Amino acid sequence: MELRELAKEQREFYQTGRTLDCAFRAQALERLARGLEQREERLCRALEADLGKPPFEAYMTEIGLVKSELRWQRTHLRANMRPRRVPTPLDQYKARSFRDPRPYGTVLVMAPWNYPLLLSLAPLTGALAAGNCAVVKLSDQAPRSAEVLTDLLADCFDPGHVFALQGGRAENQALLAQRFDKIFFTGSPAVGRAVLEAAAQNLTPVVLELGGKSPCFVTKEADLKTAARRIVFGKFLNSGQTCVAPDYLLADRAVLPSLLPLICQEIERAFGPRPMESPGYCRIVNQKRFDRLLELMGGGQALCGGGFCREKLTIEPTILTGVSTESLLMQEEIFGPLLPVLPYDVLEEALSFVESRPHPLALYVFTENKKQARQIMGRLQFGGGCVNDTVVHLASHRLPFGGVGQSGMGAYHGRQSFEIFTHYRSIVDASTKIDLPIRYRPYTPAKFWTLRRFLK
């Protein structure tokens, strides 16, 4: 289907008013949940083919989270759709004031390759609950997953309601040339800038879920064994191809002799002595990104790991020491199984280092000292994060997920997913039974005195 015709068809579908109905939205969410259930095995096989994800990880980080999001939206749909009363100022007596939730209309969801299911269907769920029509752009770098998702959405929805499109840069540019009422993009900051520039041509509001170099602090007062286990879990999930993975470690120099061996031991416990042969270890998505990671690896010395297999596109979980803050390794988001370690002697130095860089999407702190945790969290600006854990903050419906500054704008999950695809119209419903004369001409000193009493 030609994109211009698709955009026209979706706008016409929205203008029928069908998506405004609560029952219609509930049925759409139900169909999506049922379609996902029916294709669960196919999706697991596709994720394994694209990224080497084992079924457990595919369910934990993608399928299960989408199911949970669908369940939340269906459960809270009617309550979220209700107008929300707000107090009315005394000078507007007698009237009712409320915020009326309405869909934006037609929205574009642009999904990346690293979590192709989660990062396409989770925002789509919010868009459907809010009553929008949607085009879902799937990445061509995860082709098997895109194929199953295209089949899923075609089976569940009229193309005027939801349409899935596969492709790369050319398709992105063609889509962005169309007029949408809102754009939701997940991907790199570089592409995010291009999306924002294109959206500005039509003054289209945009949600950008980007990334950045997310630091992980380990202080003197951390539980080092737990820190090692949870750092390894968060960093090497999906072979490090996670936007909220710890990007580099800022560790107190005093704990390094104990911490680093624990991390290396945990890597072996999790993936075995030959991680690249582990059935639970993911591969790098393509040759281009694999070669880039090998180049980045040259920015430090491998304390453990460092091996790779070009044929299988796998790189061992690698801990890098002797890293220069000026190296390429510390200038770009790594997005792979490489973890640079930067020691610090005084916490203030580490805080100043993070402050001097763009705001990260996530930040992690390992310490048993609550005052110290509050100091670090309170001082630095970031999208979201954890104390004594990694990445799990994005799995809660009650915690909106999003970045700040160069790591993104806007947030979603749970109620926020509904709200970010909703325009709240501010409405005053005034009575004609009572009509205060103060606002009408002629304006007199007495009216001015009364006005000052009302509006002080």
mmCIF file of all heavy atoms in Angstrom, residues 233-254:
data_model
loop_
_atom_site.group_PDB
_atom_site.id
_atom_site.type_symbol
_atom_site.label_atom_id
_atom_site.label_comp_id
_atom_site.label_asym_id
_atom_site.label_seq_id
_atom_site.Cartn_x
_atom_site.Cartn_y
_atom_site.Cartn_z
ATOM 1 N N PHE A 233 23.849 -9.369 35.429
ATOM 2 C CA PHE A 233 22.500 -9.601 34.883
ATOM 3 C C PHE A 233 22.081 -8.465 33.965
ATOM 4 O O PHE A 233 21.664 -8.677 32.821
ATOM 5 C CB PHE A 233 21.488 -9.740 36.024
ATOM 6 C CG PHE A 233 20.059 -9.655 35.563
ATOM 7 C CD1 PHE A 233 19.451 -10.724 34.933
ATOM 8 C CD2 PHE A 233 19.327 -8.479 35.734
ATOM 9 C CE1 PHE A 233 18.129 -10.645 34.487
ATOM 10 C CE2 PHE A 233 18.015 -8.387 35.291
ATOM 11 C CZ PHE A 233 17.421 -9.474 34.669
ATOM 12 N N GLY A 234 22.180 -7.227 34.442
ATOM 13 C CA GLY A 234 21.693 -6.087 33.663
ATOM 14 C C GLY A 234 22.557 -5.754 32.473
ATOM 15 O O GLY A 234 22.050 -5.372 31.417
ATOM 16 N N LYS A 235 23.874 -5.914 32.630
ATOM 17 C CA LYS A 235 24.778 -5.533 31.549
ATOM 18 C C LYS A 235 24.725 -6.506 30.380
ATOM 19 O O LYS A 235 24.717 -6.098 29.209
ATOM 20 C CB LYS A 235 26.219 -5.453 32.073
ATOM 21 C CG LYS A 235 27.261 -5.179 30.983
ATOM 22 C CD LYS A 235 26.994 -3.850 30.274
ATOM 23 C CE LYS A 235 27.932 -3.634 29.102
ATOM 24 N NZ LYS A 235 27.664 -2.357 28.416
ATOM 25 N N PHE A 236 24.657 -7.795 30.655
ATOM 26 C CA PHE A 236 24.810 -8.775 29.582
ATOM 27 C C PHE A 236 23.487 -9.387 29.131
ATOM 28 O O PHE A 236 23.483 -10.314 28.323
ATOM 29 C CB PHE A 236 25.822 -9.844 29.999
ATOM 30 C CG PHE A 236 27.171 -9.254 30.307
ATOM 31 C CD1 PHE A 236 27.667 -9.232 31.603
ATOM 32 C CD2 PHE A 236 27.922 -8.660 29.308
ATOM 33 C CE1 PHE A 236 28.893 -8.655 31.887
ATOM 34 C CE2 PHE A 236 29.147 -8.066 29.578
ATOM 35 C CZ PHE A 236 29.641 -8.073 30.876
ATOM 36 N N LEU A 237 22.372 -8.850 29.623
ATOM 37 C CA LEU A 237 21.067 -9.177 29.078
ATOM 38 C C LEU A 237 21.055 -8.794 27.600
ATOM 39 O O LEU A 237 21.490 -7.699 27.228
ATOM 40 C CB LEU A 237 20.014 -8.380 29.841
ATOM 41 C CG LEU A 237 18.561 -8.844 29.839
ATOM 42 C CD1 LEU A 237 18.405 -10.187 30.524
ATOM 43 C CD2 LEU A 237 17.698 -7.798 30.530
ATOM 44 N N ASN A 238 20.602 -9.700 26.746
ATOM 45 C CA ASN A 238 20.571 -9.437 25.299
ATOM 46 C C ASN A 238 21.954 -9.063 24.774
ATOM 47 O O ASN A 238 22.092 -8.256 23.851
ATOM 48 C CB ASN A 238 19.555 -8.329 24.979
ATOM 49 C CG ASN A 238 19.130 -8.327 23.530
ATOM 50 O OD1 ASN A 238 19.158 -9.343 22.849
ATOM 51 N ND2 ASN A 238 18.741 -7.157 23.025
ATOM 52 N N SER A 239 22.980 -9.672 25.400
ATOM 53 C CA SER A 239 24.372 -9.406 25.023
ATOM 54 C C SER A 239 24.706 -7.909 25.056
ATOM 55 O O SER A 239 25.444 -7.393 24.221
ATOM 56 C CB SER A 239 24.671 -9.971 23.623
ATOM 57 O OG SER A 239 26.063 -10.113 23.438
ATOM 58 N N GLY A 240 24.136 -7.220 26.050
ATOM 59 C CA GLY A 240 24.438 -5.800 26.229
ATOM 60 C C GLY A 240 23.690 -4.874 25.312
ATOM 61 O O GLY A 240 23.852 -3.652 25.386
ATOM 62 N N GLN A 241 22.830 -5.408 24.446
ATOM 63 C CA GLN A 241 22.105 -4.579 23.466
ATOM 64 C C GLN A 241 20.783 -4.105 24.074
ATOM 65 O O GLN A 241 19.698 -4.400 23.591
ATOM 66 C CB GLN A 241 21.894 -5.396 22.184
ATOM 67 C CG GLN A 241 23.206 -5.791 21.535
ATOM 68 C CD GLN A 241 23.050 -6.828 20.442
ATOM 69 O OE1 GLN A 241 23.338 -6.560 19.278
ATOM 70 N NE2 GLN A 241 22.596 -8.014 20.788
ATOM 71 N N THR A 242 20.915 -3.368 25.170
ATOM 72 C CA THR A 242 19.777 -2.870 25.939
ATOM 73 C C THR A 242 20.020 -1.402 26.248
ATOM 74 O O THR A 242 21.097 -1.048 26.746
ATOM 75 C CB THR A 242 19.616 -3.665 27.254
ATOM 76 O OG1 THR A 242 19.492 -5.060 26.959
ATOM 77 C CG2 THR A 242 18.402 -3.208 28.036
ATOM 78 N N CYS A 243 19.042 -0.554 25.988
ATOM 79 C CA CYS A 243 19.257 0.888 26.136
ATOM 80 C C CYS A 243 19.518 1.302 27.580
ATOM 81 O O CYS A 243 20.122 2.345 27.821
ATOM 82 C CB CYS A 243 18.081 1.666 25.555
ATOM 83 S SG CYS A 243 16.489 1.297 26.323
ATOM 84 N N VAL A 244 19.042 0.502 28.556
ATOM 85 C CA VAL A 244 19.251 0.861 29.962
ATOM 86 C C VAL A 244 20.317 -0.004 30.619
ATOM 87 O O VAL A 244 20.456 0.000 31.840
ATOM 88 C CB VAL A 244 17.933 0.766 30.770
ATOM 89 C CG1 VAL A 244 16.959 1.837 30.346
ATOM 90 C CG2 VAL A 244 17.308 -0.619 30.654
ATOM 91 N N ALA A 245 21.091 -0.745 29.832
ATOM 92 C CA ALA A 245 22.186 -1.535 30.406
ATOM 93 C C ALA A 245 23.218 -0.607 31.039
ATOM 94 O O ALA A 245 23.461 0.492 30.536
ATOM 95 C CB ALA A 245 22.847 -2.383 29.323
ATOM 96 N N PRO A 246 23.837 -1.021 32.150
ATOM 97 C CA PRO A 246 24.960 -0.231 32.672
ATOM 98 C C PRO A 246 26.017 -0.077 31.583
ATOM 99 O O PRO A 246 26.497 -1.065 31.038
ATOM 100 C CB PRO A 246 25.482 -1.085 33.837
ATOM 101 C CG PRO A 246 24.326 -1.957 34.233
ATOM 102 C CD PRO A 246 23.577 -2.232 32.966
ATOM 103 N N ASP A 247 26.350 1.151 31.247
ATOM 104 C CA ASP A 247 27.279 1.391 30.144
ATOM 105 C C ASP A 247 28.725 1.432 30.625
ATOM 106 O O ASP A 247 29.632 1.061 29.887
ATOM 107 C CB ASP A 247 26.929 2.704 29.440
ATOM 108 C CG ASP A 247 27.586 2.821 28.075
ATOM 109 O OD1 ASP A 247 27.019 2.312 27.096
ATOM 110 O OD2 ASP A 247 28.691 3.406 28.001
ATOM 111 N N TYR A 248 28.923 1.897 31.841
ATOM 112 C CA TYR A 248 30.261 1.879 32.424
ATOM 113 C C TYR A 248 30.142 1.870 33.935
ATOM 114 O O TYR A 248 29.132 2.282 34.515
ATOM 115 C CB TYR A 248 31.110 3.063 31.952
ATOM 116 C CG TYR A 248 30.587 4.437 32.301
ATOM 117 C CD1 TYR A 248 31.075 5.150 33.396
ATOM 118 C CD2 TYR A 248 29.606 5.048 31.522
ATOM 119 C CE1 TYR A 248 30.606 6.425 33.708
ATOM 120 C CE2 TYR A 248 29.129 6.315 31.822
ATOM 121 C CZ TYR A 248 29.635 6.995 32.916
ATOM 122 O OH TYR A 248 29.150 8.247 33.219
ATOM 123 N N LEU A 249 31.202 1.351 34.574
ATOM 124 C CA LEU A 249 31.219 1.173 36.020
ATOM 125 C C LEU A 249 32.085 2.251 36.648
ATOM 126 O O LEU A 249 33.246 2.441 36.251
ATOM 127 C CB LEU A 249 31.784 -0.216 36.326
ATOM 128 C CG LEU A 249 31.449 -0.867 37.660
ATOM 129 C CD1 LEU A 249 29.956 -1.052 37.799
ATOM 130 C CD2 LEU A 249 32.161 -2.220 37.740
ATOM 131 N N LEU A 250 31.525 2.976 37.608
ATOM 132 C CA LEU A 250 32.281 3.934 38.416
ATOM 133 C C LEU A 250 32.410 3.328 39.807
ATOM 134 O O LEU A 250 31.449 3.310 40.579
ATOM 135 C CB LEU A 250 31.550 5.270 38.482
ATOM 136 C CG LEU A 250 31.653 6.178 37.254
ATOM 137 C CD1 LEU A 250 30.617 7.290 37.321
ATOM 138 C CD2 LEU A 250 33.055 6.761 37.124
ATOM 139 N N ALA A 251 33.586 2.788 40.116
ATOM 140 C CA ALA A 251 33.761 2.052 41.369
ATOM 141 C C ALA A 251 34.822 2.718 42.241
ATOM 142 O O ALA A 251 35.867 3.171 41.745
ATOM 143 C CB ALA A 251 34.163 0.611 41.073
ATOM 144 N N ASP A 252 34.537 2.767 43.528
ATOM 145 C CA ASP A 252 35.527 3.257 44.480
ATOM 146 C C ASP A 252 36.784 2.379 44.362
ATOM 147 O O ASP A 252 36.699 1.153 44.365
ATOM 148 C CB ASP A 252 34.960 3.190 45.898
ATOM 149 C CG ASP A 252 35.820 3.939 46.888
ATOM 150 O OD1 ASP A 252 36.990 3.536 47.059
ATOM 151 O OD2 ASP A 252 35.344 4.901 47.499
ATOM 152 N N ARG A 253 37.921 3.018 44.252
ATOM 153 C CA ARG A 253 39.168 2.277 44.030
ATOM 154 C C ARG A 253 39.410 1.237 45.129
ATOM 155 O O ARG A 253 39.988 0.167 44.875
ATOM 156 C CB ARG A 253 40.349 3.245 43.956
ATOM 157 C CG ARG A 253 41.605 2.622 43.361
ATOM 158 C CD ARG A 253 42.745 3.635 43.314
ATOM 159 N NE ARG A 253 42.425 4.790 42.510
ATOM 160 C CZ ARG A 253 42.611 4.840 41.187
ATOM 161 N NH1 ARG A 253 43.082 3.789 40.545
ATOM 162 N NH2 ARG A 253 42.309 5.940 40.515
ATOM 163 N N ALA A 254 38.933 1.508 46.315
ATOM 164 C CA ALA A 254 39.177 0.599 47.427
ATOM 165 C C ALA A 254 38.464 -0.744 47.267
ATOM 166 O O ALA A 254 38.912 -1.753 47.828
ATOM 167 C CB ALA A 254 38.739 1.259 48.739
#
